[in-house]
């Protein structure tokens, strides 16, 4: 996902699956560039979402989520395409 484009649309999720469903549905033309950052305690199942789901090792704050996304972008820029 990250290597396909110089940008990505990230939706940071903690709770409220109905809101998440609406958010994801609203960006359908961008699904190939969309990632859900799953900060929920229960965890999302990738198979239930039409976009990539990435789960940090521990739930992150809003600010930490943005720093984590920035680190993924830097890693991608330097040629590492590993998923986190």
């Amino acid at each position: 996902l990250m290597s396909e484009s110089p940008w990505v649309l990230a939706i940071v999720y903690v709770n409220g699956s109905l809101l998440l469903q609406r958010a994801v549905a609203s960006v359908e033309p961008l699904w190939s560039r969309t990632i859900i950052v799953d900060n929920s305690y229960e965890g999302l199942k990738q198979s239930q979402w039409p976009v990539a789901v990435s789960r940090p090792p521990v739930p992150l704050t809003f600010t930490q989520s943005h720093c984590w996304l920035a680190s993924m972008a830097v890693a991608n820029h330097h040629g590492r395409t590993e998923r986190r």
Side-chain angles (χ1 to χ4, degrees), residues 5-81:
S5 172
W7 62 272
V8 65
L9 172 65
I11 301 173
V12 179
Y13 171 72
V14 177
N15 59 29
S17 61
L18 291 178
L19 288 176
L20 178 61
Q21 289 172 4
R22 289 181 67 190
V24 170
S26 73
V27 296
E28 184 174 354
L30 305 175
W31 281 357
S32 66
R33 297 179 179 185
T34 301
I35 184 171
I36 298 170
V37 179
D38 180 8
N39 282 318
S40 68
Y41 287 104
E42 66 277 359
L44 298 173
K45 293 182 181 178
Q46 175 63 66
S47 62
Q48 296 177 340
W49 296 96
V51 301
V53 175
S54 188
R55 187 166 173 83
V58 297
L60 305 175
T61 66
F62 184 77
T63 302
Q64 289 171 325
S65 295
H66 284 266
C67 290
W68 190 60
L69 287 163
S71 72
M72 290 173 67
V74 168
N76 183 60
H77 178 73
H78 291 290
R80 294 179 289 197
T81 57

